[in-house]
Amino acid sequence: MWGFEPADAAVSTADLFQKNGLKEILIPGFGYGRNAKVFIAKGMNVTGIEISETAIELAKNHFGESIKVYHGGVNDMPFDKKMYDGIFCYALIHLLNEKERVALIDNCYKQLQPGGYMVFVAISKNTATYGKGSAISKDRYETTHGIKLFYYDYVSVAREFGGYGLIEAKEIDEPAKNLEKKSSMKFWRITCRK
């Protein structure tokens, strides 16, 4: 659906993780693995969590058995007792309701090694789709395709991530450049350190 090139935020996060010597990486919302490639290419071990069996099959076809992907929803975390050096969660958290978002952040933080980093990429209120569709609650809308999105601003980022070692919240364009048939959208890249 998104092609096989990793998201720009995955590339910059892999650089951050490599610079800090992180080796064991968890990717909740693994999908079919397009963002895992960049971490693996830098010598990191990646574990994923994915709810779609179809996406897991696509990932296995692409990576073979070299990667562990747990089948299930992020609301069912943890799937193992392992502690991770880094966690990368791309364009997933904004699909959840408030209770689920808080649980995801907390569950990720609990599986993060001391000194480890977690990076979330979440849709911004400053993107063109904000306010479109049916309002569900403050800053949360259901699109015409039935997708429920929570749009972040700095206040909501600070509220949800502030107690989890928030070190940076930066608004980014994703993809960084407008590509053929893909225009950029505004997201927050949220970085926490334990």
Side-chain angles (χ1 to χ4, degrees):
M1 177 170 160
W2 304 106
F4 279 97
E5 288 303 309
D8 295 322
V11 174
S12 63
T13 300
D15 289 342
L16 171 73
F17 287 4
Q18 183 180 44
K19 184 176 111 181
N20 288 281
L22 309 187
K23 289 289 183 198
E24 298 296 326
I25 310 304
L26 178 64
I27 302 180
F30 185 82
Y32 53 89
R34 77 178 181 116
N35 288 324
K37 289 180 5 178
V38 70
F39 296 96
I40 294 166
K42 292 182 177 288
M44 297 173 217
N45 302 315
V46 174
T47 301
I49 299 170
E50 177 54 46
I51 198 164
S52 167
E53 288 183 24
T54 302
I56 293 171
E57 283 304 311
L58 287 170
K60 284 183 181 177
N61 291 339
H62 189 68
F63 294 105
E65 297 298 323
S66 66
I67 208 162
K68 174 70 180 166
V69 181
Y70 292 104
H71 176 245
V74 295
N75 294 325
D76 299 323
M77 288 176 70
F79 287 90
D80 58 29
K81 294 184 181 188
K82 187 172 180 177
M83 298 295 284
Y84 292 91
D85 303 319
I87 297 173
F88 179 65
C89 189
Y90 183 82
L92 167 69
I93 195 164
H94 53 255
L95 299 172
L96 307 175
N97 66 37
E98 184 176 8
K99 182 180 174 187
E100 293 167 334
R101 293 192 309 271
V102 169
L104 174 59
I105 297 165
D106 190 61
N107 287 331
C108 286
Y109 196 74
K110 285 176 181 171
Q111 284 198 267
L112 193 63
Q113 292 276 16
Y117 288 82
M118 59 183 194
V119 176
F120 287 77
V121 177
I123 199 164
S124 170
K125 283 172 69 170
N126 289 326
T127 204
T129 59
Y130 175 69
K132 305 273 193 306
S134 303
I136 299 168
S137 59
K138 183 176 179 354
D139 297 328
R140 191 161 187 242
Y141 295 87
E142 184 171 352
T143 70
T144 55
H145 302 295
I147 300 168
K148 296 173 183 171
L149 297 170
F150 177 77
Y151 292 85
Y152 279 89
D153 58 15
Y154 186 78
V155 171
S156 54
V157 168
R159 182 180 64 244
E160 292 187 8
F161 292 90
Y164 295 94
L166 179 64
I167 58 172
E168 182 183 57
K170 182 177 181 183
E171 209 168 26
I172 61 170
D173 290 317
E174 192 69 37
K177 296 178 183 169
N178 285 340
L179 303 174
E180 187 178 318
K181 298 182 185 176
K182 279 189 181 178
S183 59
S184 292
M185 293 177 65
K186 291 284 186 191
F187 287 85
W188 284 94
R189 186 178 62 222
I190 304 154
T191 307
C192 300
R193 186 164 189 233
K194 190 170 188 179

